[in-house]
Amino acid sequence: MPLDHFQRLLRCLELEAEAEAAEIVKRSQRATGDAAERAGVCLIGLTIREEESGFGGRAVITLGKRDRRAELPWSKLNSGSPVVLSEEQLSESGAWRGVVTDRNRETITVVLAQSPEPTSDRPTFRLDLSSDEISRERQRAAVKKVAAADSGRLAALKRKLLGEESPEFTTGVGLITDERGSNRPLDESQRTSVEHALASKEVAVIHGPPGTGKTTAVVELIRQAVLRGERVLACAPSNLAVDNLLERLLATGERAIRIGHPARVLPELREHTLDLQVAAHPDLKLAREWTKQAWALRRQAGKFTRTAPERGARREQRDEAKRLLADARKMEERLVAHLLDSATVVCATLTGLDDELLGDLQFDLAVIDEAAQTTEPACWIPLLRAKRLVLAGDHCQLPPTILSSESQRLGFDLSLMQRLVEQWGDVISRQLTTQYRMHEQIMRFSSVEFYDSSLIAADSVREHLLADLSHIGTIPLTQTAMQFIDTAGSDCVEQAESEGSSRNNPGEADVVARQVQELLDAGVTPAEIAVITPYAAQARLLRTLIGNAAIEIDTVDGFQGREKEAVVISFVRSNATGEVGFLSDTRRTNVALTRARRKLIVIGDSSTLANHEFYRRLLDHFEREGAYGTVWDQPAM
């Protein structure tokens, strides 16, 4: 018997949990010594440098290598990552769960629920990337609740989102003008998209291709809803995307508040988190005083005394302690409710919505940014609290990350946004068309391949080049927008990583390093350059080879929503059988090709790439634009 829609989602969540657990076991089995850190999911040989009290009585631990001169290697452990800290010396030791709050070249700072208590002398620790079971449980609970809904608003919304009923829209909806205005005037496609979303009775989609000002449109949509007296819940799959929304909303003067662990929030925005606003509120002092008195009474009631206390005195002390603690909790709950009620917009990650904090709070509108990057169950969490939904993102860029091949077979990588766009098309979706990032020549291929040639470069970026910047020299490299460097027939051959399943290409990495050096020699600053590759092993090799921490070098996933003046892409794949492997997901390549503002340099093996139709068209595009060359044309380093 086939699974129904919600049974399938629950099954996929189970499969993902199993796949993640298997990966953690596999990682722990092989992750000893240097191999642990090369995988990028662990840091070893750490000692505690500093320890202090942090948010809500949590412990803030700063760790670094025992040799204080040693830098931390690259890893996926970044601000907001869930982690487990454990003592290395013992085969069986306690572990402390926490969140990374900061990282620099020498140290990493973690917030833990409690201070670690090592059992050995001069201990060293390891820090592992961890799963987030709370997030998964919230998704399960949301899916079950929606599946069971058979009447009321939630059931009606469910029917629309399952395609059982057509989405409806009102007519004649225009934008309200107020004295604050948006960060910049909306272009025609942005205005149309915002008006369409406001007119929705249940669900709408804002489709934002690269560089088209999607966040500008989303922030204006939220402002317009607030001007209409609506309460808005603004969400995204990642903490960084939520912070981006929060920062833009605050800049327009909205009373926005951020839910979530302060350690997962950018430092400059932490004062706007619910935790810190509660902690800073003068009313909390009284609640803390009551808590202090309660624990003093409990200790007193438990003390042994030579003289027997009066009958019932200990019970009275314990009862009074209970009353004080209950009153303190009620005051904190009232304070949380007051702060949430006074905000016009509540911002949170999809899985960061905590029922204990939010209580029965409901919203007129839920907005999910970067909606194409998350699986469907996470989207149902905010929908439990909202009358209407707007999804914003781009299903032609990064899809949701899926670990289980079985859940992928069951369609778990199809986001709610993509499913709705495929089902309803222009009925539900409006696309943004003016892009404000790329030189027109860089934009053109992506526009043709993914957006039916609909993108138009704004006048401000249409012909901009590196040479137009005053600090950059005028040489052939900086006077063109893009180039492809073909490594076919050279010694640039891919190889499998010695440990793990990733790949690198040392010869191609050398070509990349030469291109980066040419950009630097021309006056392009390290902060203006990005190096992107689909393979983590190649990213690790390039970091070592280039050796400049100010140049961002990462996999494609790390650059979604980002941009740089100059981008160098390393495709890696070069083999006799023409296998492109991971590159066959062309949506990831779309992301890589659209990060550059003024200069795009792509390096790859045409004899391998041309075996795939998409890359054959990409090579043709570079040739038509007069931007094709070979590795033999490049000067030796």
Side-chain angles (χ1 to χ4, degrees), residues 393-428:
D394 182 11
H395 50 283
C396 299
Q397 293 189 63
L398 288 182
T401 300
I402 304 298
L403 299 177
S404 164
S405 57
E406 178 63 13
S407 67
Q408 189 159 21
R409 188 187 67 77
L410 290 172
F412 201 46
D413 58 341
L414 180 67
S415 67
L416 175 61
M417 176 180 162
Q418 184 173 354
R419 179 165 67 75
L420 291 173
V421 170
E422 289 178 357
Q423 184 161 21
W424 298 109
D426 291 344
V427 173
I428 203 170

Side-chain angles (χ1 to χ4, degrees), residues 81-381:
S81 300
V83 290
V84 173
L85 179 71
S86 58
E87 197 175 348
E88 283 188 314
Q89 281 75 6
L90 304 177
S91 57
E92 293 185 11
S93 64
W96 303 272
R97 287 189 172 270
V99 175
V100 176
T101 180
D102 193 23
R103 174 174 178 161
N104 58 36
R105 293 173 72 173
E106 293 85 23
T107 63
I108 186 166
T109 303
V110 181
V111 178
L112 307 173
Q114 63 187 74
S115 180
E117 298 177 2
T119 56
S120 59
D121 294 331
R122 302 188 73 226
T124 58
F125 298 87
R126 65 179 284 163
L127 197 61
D128 288 274
L129 195 62
S130 170
S131 61
D132 192 345
E133 274 306 309
I134 293 175
S135 296
R136 192 172 283 118
E137 187 49 46
R138 286 175 181 166
Q139 293 179 71
R140 286 192 195 102
V143 169
K144 288 177 182 178
K145 190 167 184 178
V146 174
D150 56 10
S151 62
R153 177 205 55 81
L154 185 58
L157 193 54
K158 176 174 72 170
R159 290 193 295 273
K160 301 288 184 179
L161 293 178
L162 290 181
E164 295 170 359
E165 296 177 4
S166 300
E168 297 181 55
F169 295 81
T170 57
T171 56
V173 175
L175 303 189
I176 299 173
T177 303
D178 73 334
E179 67 280 1
R180 286 178 286 145
S182 59
N183 289 336
R184 76 168 181 227
L186 300 183
D187 63 45
E188 184 180 351
S189 66
Q190 289 170 336
R191 174 178 287 274
T192 301
S193 296
V194 172
E195 289 175 345
H196 182 70
L198 290 168
S200 166
K201 291 184 179 181
E202 306 91 11
V203 60
V205 170
I206 296 177
H207 179 197
T212 54
K214 172 180 58 64
T215 304
T216 296
V218 170
V219 168
E220 187 58 25
L221 165 66
I222 294 170
R223 288 187 62 253
Q224 290 291 323
V226 171
L227 287 170
R228 286 162 169 74
E230 296 185 328
R231 172 171 285 173
V232 182
L233 177 59
C235 297
S238 71
N239 283 286
L240 191 59
V242 176
D243 286 349
N244 186 33
L245 273 180
L246 175 63
E247 187 173 33
R248 297 283 291 274
L249 287 165
L250 293 170
T252 65
E254 290 303 330
R255 298 192 311 277
I257 195 167
R258 174 76 153 90
I259 292 176
H261 197 307
R264 288 187 163 115
V265 179
L266 292 173
E268 59 269 26
L269 296 174
R270 284 178 187 159
E271 64 183 282
H272 300 283
T273 60
L274 181 63
D275 282 41
L276 294 197
Q277 289 198 20
V278 169
H281 201 282
D283 288 357
L284 192 67
K285 290 180 181 177
L286 182 55
R288 284 176 172 163
E289 184 58 36
W290 289 345
T291 302
K292 192 184 296 182
Q293 290 175 23
W295 285 107
L297 284 169
R298 281 189 169 185
R299 285 193 297 272
Q300 191 175 339
K303 275 184 181 178
F304 170 78
T305 58
R306 292 181 181 277
T307 307
E310 291 184 21
R311 186 180 179 83
R314 291 186 191 275
R315 177 176 291 279
E316 285 180 10
Q317 286 174 329
R318 291 193 181 98
D319 288 345
E320 177 62 15
K322 283 182 183 177
R323 283 193 295 271
L324 285 168
L325 286 172
D327 288 345
R329 277 195 298 272
K330 285 177 183 175
M331 179 168 281
E332 288 181 359
E333 288 169 3
R334 284 197 299 269
L335 184 51
V336 166
H338 167 71
L339 288 169
L340 291 173
D341 284 340
S342 62
T344 56
V345 187
V346 173
C347 301
T349 60
L350 294 165
T351 56
L353 293 169
D354 186 347
D355 286 343
E356 209 171 300
L357 278 177
L358 292 170
D360 297 326
L361 191 60
Q362 293 289 313
F363 297 86
D364 300 288
L365 173 66
V367 178
I368 302 177
D369 196 13
E370 305 296 0
Q373 291 183 45
T374 186
T375 56
E376 185 171 326
C379 293
W380 286 104
I381 300 173

Side-chain angles (χ1 to χ4, degrees), residues 187-190 211-213 432-436 454-458:
D187 63 45
E188 184 180 351
S189 66
Q190 289 170 336
T212 54
L432 307 179
T433 56
T434 303
Q435 72 86 18
Y436 300 90
S454 62
L455 299 187
I456 302 165

